[in-house]
Amino acid sequence: MGITVVRAYGRAHPISTLPITAARTPVMLFPVRHRQPTDPVTCQLAREKRRMPKVQLEELRTVIHPTGKLDSRAEHWAGRLYMRSLSLRVTRHLVDTRISPNQITVIMVFAGVLSGVALILPGLGGAVLSVLFMQLYLLLDCVDGEVARWRRQFSPLGVYLDRLGAYLADAAVMVGMGIRAAQLGLDLYLVAGLAAAIGVLLLKSSSDLVHVARSDSGMQKATDASVVPRSSGLAQIRRLASAVGLHRLVNGIECTILLLVTAVIDLALGDLTATRIATVAVTAIVWLLVPAHIVSIVASSRLK
Protein backbone atom coordinates (compact mmCIF):
# COMPACT_ATOMS: atom_id res chain seq x y z
CA MET A 1 0.00 0.00 0.00
CA GLY A 2 1.26 3.48 -0.79
CA ILE A 3 1.35 6.32 1.67
CA THR A 4 -1.25 9.00 1.07
CA VAL A 5 0.46 12.28 0.37
CA VAL A 6 -1.11 15.75 0.40
CA ARG A 7 0.34 19.17 -0.30
CA ALA A 8 0.46 21.73 2.46
CA TYR A 9 2.61 24.81 2.91
CA GLY A 10 3.86 24.32 -0.66
CA ARG A 11 5.48 20.90 0.07
CA ALA A 12 4.45 17.20 -0.17
CA HIS A 13 3.90 15.46 3.19
CA PRO A 14 2.70 12.03 4.23
CA ILE A 15 -0.70 12.47 5.86
CA SER A 16 0.58 11.12 9.17
CA THR A 17 3.34 13.74 9.49
CA LEU A 18 1.15 16.81 8.94
CA PRO A 19 0.25 19.07 11.87
CA ILE A 20 -3.40 18.85 12.86
CA THR A 21 -4.13 22.38 11.67
CA ALA A 22 -2.52 21.74 8.29
CA ALA A 23 -4.37 18.49 7.79
CA ARG A 24 -7.67 20.17 8.45
CA THR A 25 -6.98 23.18 6.27
CA PRO A 26 -8.89 22.89 2.97
CA VAL A 27 -6.66 22.84 -0.05
CA MET A 28 -7.59 25.23 -2.91
CA LEU A 29 -7.18 23.50 -6.23
CA PHE A 30 -7.18 26.85 -8.06
CA PRO A 31 -5.85 29.46 -5.65
CA VAL A 32 -6.62 33.10 -6.52
CA ARG A 33 -3.44 35.08 -6.82
CA HIS A 34 -3.31 38.86 -7.38
CA ARG A 35 -0.39 39.46 -9.65
CA GLN A 36 1.52 42.58 -8.77
CA PRO A 37 3.63 44.40 -11.34
CA THR A 38 7.24 43.35 -11.02
CA ASP A 39 8.74 45.82 -13.46
CA PRO A 40 10.62 48.45 -11.36
CA VAL A 41 9.60 51.31 -13.66
CA THR A 42 5.90 50.33 -13.53
CA CYS A 43 6.02 50.00 -9.75
CA GLN A 44 7.67 53.39 -9.39
CA LEU A 45 5.09 55.07 -11.64
CA ALA A 46 2.25 53.47 -9.67
CA ARG A 47 3.73 54.70 -6.37
CA GLU A 48 4.21 58.21 -7.75
CA LYS A 49 0.64 58.30 -9.06
CA ARG A 50 -0.72 57.35 -5.63
CA ARG A 51 1.37 60.08 -4.00
CA MET A 52 0.60 62.68 -6.66
CA PRO A 53 -1.67 65.46 -5.32
CA LYS A 54 -4.64 66.70 -7.32
CA VAL A 55 -3.99 69.62 -9.62
CA GLN A 56 -4.46 72.99 -7.94
CA LEU A 57 -7.55 74.98 -8.90
CA GLU A 58 -5.59 78.06 -9.97
CA GLU A 59 -3.30 76.01 -12.20
CA LEU A 60 -6.32 74.28 -13.71
CA ARG A 61 -8.18 77.56 -14.21
CA THR A 62 -5.34 79.15 -16.20
CA VAL A 63 -5.49 76.29 -18.72
CA ILE A 64 -9.19 75.51 -19.03
CA HIS A 65 -10.43 79.11 -18.60
CA PRO A 66 -7.97 81.09 -20.73
CA THR A 67 -8.13 84.87 -20.86
CA GLY A 68 -11.28 86.04 -22.62
CA LYS A 69 -13.04 82.67 -22.37
CA LEU A 70 -15.70 83.80 -19.89
CA ASP A 71 -16.16 87.14 -21.68
CA SER A 72 -16.77 85.48 -25.04
CA ARG A 73 -20.10 86.04 -26.75
CA ALA A 74 -20.50 82.25 -26.96
CA GLU A 75 -20.34 81.88 -23.16
CA HIS A 76 -23.78 81.45 -21.58
CA TRP A 77 -24.69 83.85 -18.75
CA ALA A 78 -25.20 80.89 -16.40
CA GLY A 79 -21.63 79.79 -17.10
CA ARG A 80 -20.27 83.17 -16.06
CA LEU A 81 -22.61 83.46 -13.08
CA TYR A 82 -22.12 80.08 -11.38
CA MET A 83 -21.61 77.03 -13.61
CA ARG A 84 -17.96 77.60 -14.55
CA SER A 85 -17.08 77.84 -10.87
CA LEU A 86 -18.81 74.51 -10.22
CA SER A 87 -17.49 72.81 -13.36
CA LEU A 88 -13.92 73.76 -12.41
CA ARG A 89 -14.19 71.64 -9.27
CA VAL A 90 -15.83 68.72 -11.07
CA THR A 91 -13.18 68.83 -13.80
CA ARG A 92 -10.45 68.73 -11.16
CA HIS A 93 -11.65 65.27 -10.08
CA LEU A 94 -12.02 63.96 -13.64
CA VAL A 95 -8.77 64.99 -15.31
CA ASP A 96 -6.84 62.11 -13.68
CA THR A 97 -9.45 59.46 -14.50
CA ARG A 98 -9.91 57.33 -17.59
CA ILE A 99 -13.16 59.08 -18.53
CA SER A 100 -12.73 60.72 -21.93
CA PRO A 101 -14.20 64.08 -22.98
CA ASN A 102 -16.36 62.34 -25.59
CA GLN A 103 -17.83 60.01 -22.94
CA ILE A 104 -18.77 63.05 -20.87
CA THR A 105 -20.39 64.61 -23.96
CA VAL A 106 -22.48 61.48 -24.58
CA ILE A 107 -23.83 61.65 -21.01
CA MET A 108 -24.51 65.35 -21.62
CA VAL A 109 -26.63 64.53 -24.68
CA PHE A 110 -28.77 62.10 -22.67
CA ALA A 111 -29.20 64.65 -19.87
CA GLY A 112 -30.43 67.26 -22.36
CA VAL A 113 -32.95 64.90 -23.94
CA LEU A 114 -34.19 63.72 -20.53
CA SER A 115 -34.86 67.35 -19.65
CA GLY A 116 -37.50 67.43 -22.37
CA VAL A 117 -38.85 63.98 -21.48
CA ALA A 118 -39.29 65.05 -17.83
CA LEU A 119 -41.77 67.73 -18.90
CA ILE A 120 -44.21 64.97 -19.83
CA LEU A 121 -44.59 64.21 -16.12
CA PRO A 122 -47.55 66.23 -14.83
CA GLY A 123 -47.40 68.69 -11.98
CA LEU A 124 -44.57 70.55 -10.34
CA GLY A 125 -42.35 67.46 -10.10
CA GLY A 126 -41.92 67.18 -13.87
CA ALA A 127 -40.91 70.84 -14.15
CA VAL A 128 -38.39 70.55 -11.30
CA LEU A 129 -36.89 67.39 -12.79
CA SER A 130 -36.63 69.10 -16.18
CA VAL A 131 -34.67 72.00 -14.68
CA LEU A 132 -32.34 69.60 -12.85
CA PHE A 133 -31.59 67.60 -16.01
CA MET A 134 -30.96 70.82 -17.94
CA GLN A 135 -28.57 72.07 -15.27
CA LEU A 136 -26.74 68.73 -15.44
CA TYR A 137 -26.59 69.19 -19.22
CA LEU A 138 -25.06 72.64 -18.78
CA LEU A 139 -22.55 71.36 -16.21
CA LEU A 140 -21.38 68.53 -18.46
CA ASP A 141 -21.30 70.90 -21.44
CA CYS A 142 -18.70 72.88 -19.49
CA VAL A 143 -16.80 69.89 -18.11
CA ASP A 144 -16.26 68.01 -21.40
CA GLY A 145 -14.51 70.98 -22.99
CA GLU A 146 -12.47 71.68 -19.86
CA VAL A 147 -11.19 68.10 -19.64
CA ALA A 148 -10.37 68.22 -23.36
CA ARG A 149 -8.40 71.47 -22.96
CA TRP A 150 -6.43 70.16 -19.97
CA ARG A 151 -5.52 66.89 -21.70
CA ARG A 152 -5.27 68.48 -25.16
CA GLN A 153 -7.67 65.85 -26.50
CA PHE A 154 -9.52 67.55 -29.34
CA SER A 155 -11.43 65.76 -32.09
CA PRO A 156 -14.07 66.51 -34.75
CA LEU A 157 -16.22 63.81 -33.13
CA GLY A 158 -16.28 65.76 -29.88
CA VAL A 159 -17.35 68.95 -31.66
CA TYR A 160 -20.03 67.02 -33.55
CA LEU A 161 -21.44 65.39 -30.39
CA ASP A 162 -21.45 68.73 -28.61
CA ARG A 163 -23.45 70.42 -31.39
CA LEU A 164 -25.77 67.41 -31.67
CA GLY A 165 -26.45 67.63 -27.95
CA ALA A 166 -27.39 71.30 -28.23
CA TYR A 167 -29.81 70.52 -31.07
CA LEU A 168 -31.46 67.60 -29.29
CA ALA A 169 -31.70 69.23 -25.86
CA ASP A 170 -33.43 72.42 -26.97
CA ALA A 171 -35.73 70.61 -29.42
CA ALA A 172 -36.67 68.03 -26.75
CA VAL A 173 -37.62 70.82 -24.32
CA MET A 174 -39.87 72.45 -26.93
CA VAL A 175 -41.60 69.16 -27.72
CA GLY A 176 -41.95 68.34 -24.02
CA MET A 177 -43.45 71.78 -23.45
CA GLY A 178 -46.10 71.15 -26.12
CA ILE A 179 -46.95 67.69 -24.77
CA ARG A 180 -47.18 69.09 -21.24
CA ALA A 181 -49.55 71.88 -22.32
CA ALA A 182 -51.66 69.39 -24.31
CA GLN A 183 -51.91 67.04 -21.30
CA LEU A 184 -50.62 64.14 -23.41
CA GLY A 185 -53.37 64.72 -25.97
CA LEU A 186 -53.38 65.85 -29.59
CA ASP A 187 -54.34 69.52 -29.86
CA LEU A 188 -52.98 72.90 -30.92
CA TYR A 189 -50.60 73.12 -27.95
CA LEU A 190 -48.80 70.00 -29.08
CA VAL A 191 -48.61 71.46 -32.59
CA ALA A 192 -47.18 74.65 -31.08
CA GLY A 193 -44.50 72.68 -29.23
CA LEU A 194 -43.52 70.78 -32.37
CA ALA A 195 -43.45 74.04 -34.35
CA ALA A 196 -41.20 75.60 -31.70
CA ALA A 197 -38.85 72.61 -31.90
CA ILE A 198 -38.59 72.95 -35.68
CA GLY A 199 -37.94 76.68 -35.33
CA VAL A 200 -35.20 76.12 -32.75
CA LEU A 201 -33.51 73.60 -35.06
CA LEU A 202 -33.62 76.17 -37.87
CA LEU A 203 -32.09 78.84 -35.62
CA LYS A 204 -29.24 76.59 -34.56
CA SER A 205 -28.59 75.15 -38.01
CA SER A 206 -28.54 78.60 -39.63
CA SER A 207 -25.79 79.63 -37.21
CA ASP A 208 -23.79 76.45 -37.78
CA LEU A 209 -24.16 76.77 -41.55
CA VAL A 210 -22.12 79.97 -41.32
CA HIS A 211 -19.15 77.93 -40.09
CA VAL A 212 -19.75 75.32 -42.80
CA ALA A 213 -19.90 77.97 -45.52
CA ARG A 214 -16.74 79.72 -44.31
CA SER A 215 -14.87 76.41 -43.96
CA ASP A 216 -15.88 75.24 -47.45
CA SER A 217 -14.73 78.60 -48.81
CA GLY A 218 -11.34 78.31 -47.13
CA MET A 219 -12.03 81.16 -44.68
CA GLN A 220 -11.10 81.40 -41.02
CA LYS A 221 -13.63 81.06 -38.22
CA ALA A 222 -15.90 84.09 -37.83
CA THR A 223 -15.10 86.52 -35.02
CA ASP A 224 -17.52 88.03 -32.50
CA ALA A 225 -17.26 91.41 -34.25
CA SER A 226 -18.43 89.95 -37.56
CA VAL A 227 -21.92 89.18 -36.26
CA VAL A 228 -22.88 92.85 -36.17
CA PRO A 229 -24.99 93.80 -39.26
CA ARG A 230 -23.29 96.24 -41.63
CA SER A 231 -26.45 98.36 -41.78
CA SER A 232 -26.61 100.81 -38.88
CA GLY A 233 -30.40 100.45 -38.72
CA LEU A 234 -30.28 96.65 -38.44
CA ALA A 235 -27.44 96.91 -35.94
CA GLN A 236 -29.59 99.17 -33.76
CA ILE A 237 -32.54 96.76 -33.93
CA ARG A 238 -30.23 93.88 -33.04
CA ARG A 239 -28.87 95.72 -30.00
CA LEU A 240 -32.40 96.53 -28.85
CA ALA A 241 -33.52 92.91 -29.23
CA SER A 242 -30.47 91.72 -27.29
CA ALA A 243 -31.23 94.18 -24.49
CA VAL A 244 -34.81 92.90 -24.17
CA GLY A 245 -33.55 89.31 -24.03
CA LEU A 246 -36.64 87.54 -25.36
CA HIS A 247 -34.40 85.42 -27.58
CA ARG A 248 -33.11 83.66 -24.46
CA LEU A 249 -36.48 81.98 -23.92
CA VAL A 250 -35.90 79.73 -26.94
CA ASN A 251 -32.86 78.25 -25.17
CA GLY A 252 -33.51 75.07 -23.22
CA ILE A 253 -31.91 76.42 -20.03
CA GLU A 254 -34.12 79.51 -19.80
CA CYS A 255 -37.18 77.72 -21.14
CA THR A 256 -37.08 75.04 -18.42
CA ILE A 257 -36.81 77.77 -15.77
CA LEU A 258 -39.81 79.55 -17.35
CA LEU A 259 -41.81 76.31 -17.31
CA LEU A 260 -40.91 75.77 -13.66
CA VAL A 261 -42.37 79.20 -12.88
CA THR A 262 -45.51 78.45 -14.88
CA ALA A 263 -45.85 75.09 -13.09
CA VAL A 264 -45.93 76.92 -9.75
CA ILE A 265 -48.60 79.29 -11.11
CA ASP A 266 -50.56 76.33 -12.51
CA LEU A 267 -50.44 74.69 -9.10
CA ALA A 268 -51.97 77.79 -7.55
CA LEU A 269 -54.64 78.15 -10.27
CA GLY A 270 -55.47 74.47 -10.49
CA ASP A 271 -55.11 74.25 -14.30
CA LEU A 272 -52.53 74.63 -17.10
CA THR A 273 -53.31 78.21 -18.11
CA ALA A 274 -49.82 79.58 -17.40
CA THR A 275 -48.05 76.70 -19.18
CA ARG A 276 -50.29 77.07 -22.23
CA ILE A 277 -49.70 80.81 -22.43
CA ALA A 278 -45.95 80.19 -22.18
CA THR A 279 -46.12 77.54 -24.93
CA VAL A 280 -47.85 79.90 -27.35
CA ALA A 281 -45.55 82.80 -26.41
CA VAL A 282 -42.33 80.80 -26.85
CA THR A 283 -43.52 79.42 -30.20
CA ALA A 284 -44.32 82.95 -31.40
CA ILE A 285 -40.92 84.22 -30.28
CA VAL A 286 -39.16 81.34 -32.06
CA TRP A 287 -40.83 82.03 -35.39
CA LEU A 288 -40.26 85.76 -35.01
CA LEU A 289 -36.57 85.07 -34.52
CA VAL A 290 -36.10 82.60 -37.42
CA PRO A 291 -36.41 85.12 -40.30
CA ALA A 292 -34.80 87.89 -38.23
CA HIS A 293 -31.79 85.67 -37.49
CA ILE A 294 -31.33 84.69 -41.12
CA VAL A 295 -31.52 88.36 -42.22
CA SER A 296 -29.00 89.26 -39.51
CA ILE A 297 -26.57 86.62 -40.79
CA VAL A 298 -26.85 87.67 -44.42
CA ALA A 299 -26.52 91.36 -43.51
CA SER A 300 -23.43 90.85 -41.34
CA SER A 301 -19.80 90.29 -42.29
CA ARG A 302 -19.86 86.59 -41.40
CA LEU A 303 -20.32 85.48 -44.99
CA LYS A 304 -18.05 88.11 -46.55
Side-chain angles (χ1 to χ4, degrees), residues 186-207:
L186 296 174
D187 60 14
L188 291 178
Y189 296 108
L190 177 58
V191 174
L194 294 173
I198 295 172
V200 165
L201 293 177
L202 285 173
L203 286 171
K204 290 186 172 295
S205 61
S206 60
S207 295

Side-chain angles (χ1 to χ4, degrees), residues 213-272:
R214 291 180 67 92
S215 178
D216 288 351
S217 301
M219 302 172 66
Q220 297 293 325
K221 186 177 180 180
T223 62
D224 287 351
S226 65
V227 303
V228 179
R230 289 167 293 168
S231 169
S232 59
L234 287 175
Q236 182 65 28
I237 294 174
R238 187 179 184 278
R239 282 193 295 271
L240 180 62
S242 297
V244 174
L246 287 178
H247 64 286
R248 295 191 181 279
L249 292 178
V250 307
N251 187 294
I253 298 170
E254 287 83 355
C255 191
T256 53
I257 295 174
L258 171 65
L259 293 174
L260 176 59
V261 173
T262 61
V264 174
I265 298 174
D266 289 340
L267 187 63
L269 297 178
D271 56 24
L272 290 172

Side-chain angles (χ1 to χ4, degrees), residues 62-115:
T62 57
V63 175
I64 66 176
H65 296 166
T67 303
K69 170 64 179 174
L70 299 184
D71 298 326
S72 170
R73 177 178 171 272
E75 185 67 25
H76 194 275
W77 63 266
R80 287 189 290 267
L81 184 61
Y82 61 90
M83 193 57 77
R84 285 294 181 182
S85 178
L86 176 60
S87 68
L88 179 70
R89 287 154 177 79
V90 175
T91 299
R92 184 190 183 200
H93 292 283
L94 292 179
V95 290
D96 292 328
T97 67
R98 294 184 179 181
I99 302 175
S100 70
N102 287 351
Q103 290 172 335
I104 299 173
T105 307
V106 169
I107 300 173
M108 177 204 78
V109 172
F110 281 104
V113 173
L114 287 174
S115 179

Side-chain angles (χ1 to χ4, degrees), residues 138 140 273 288:
L138 179 59
L140 297 177
T273 300
L288 179 64

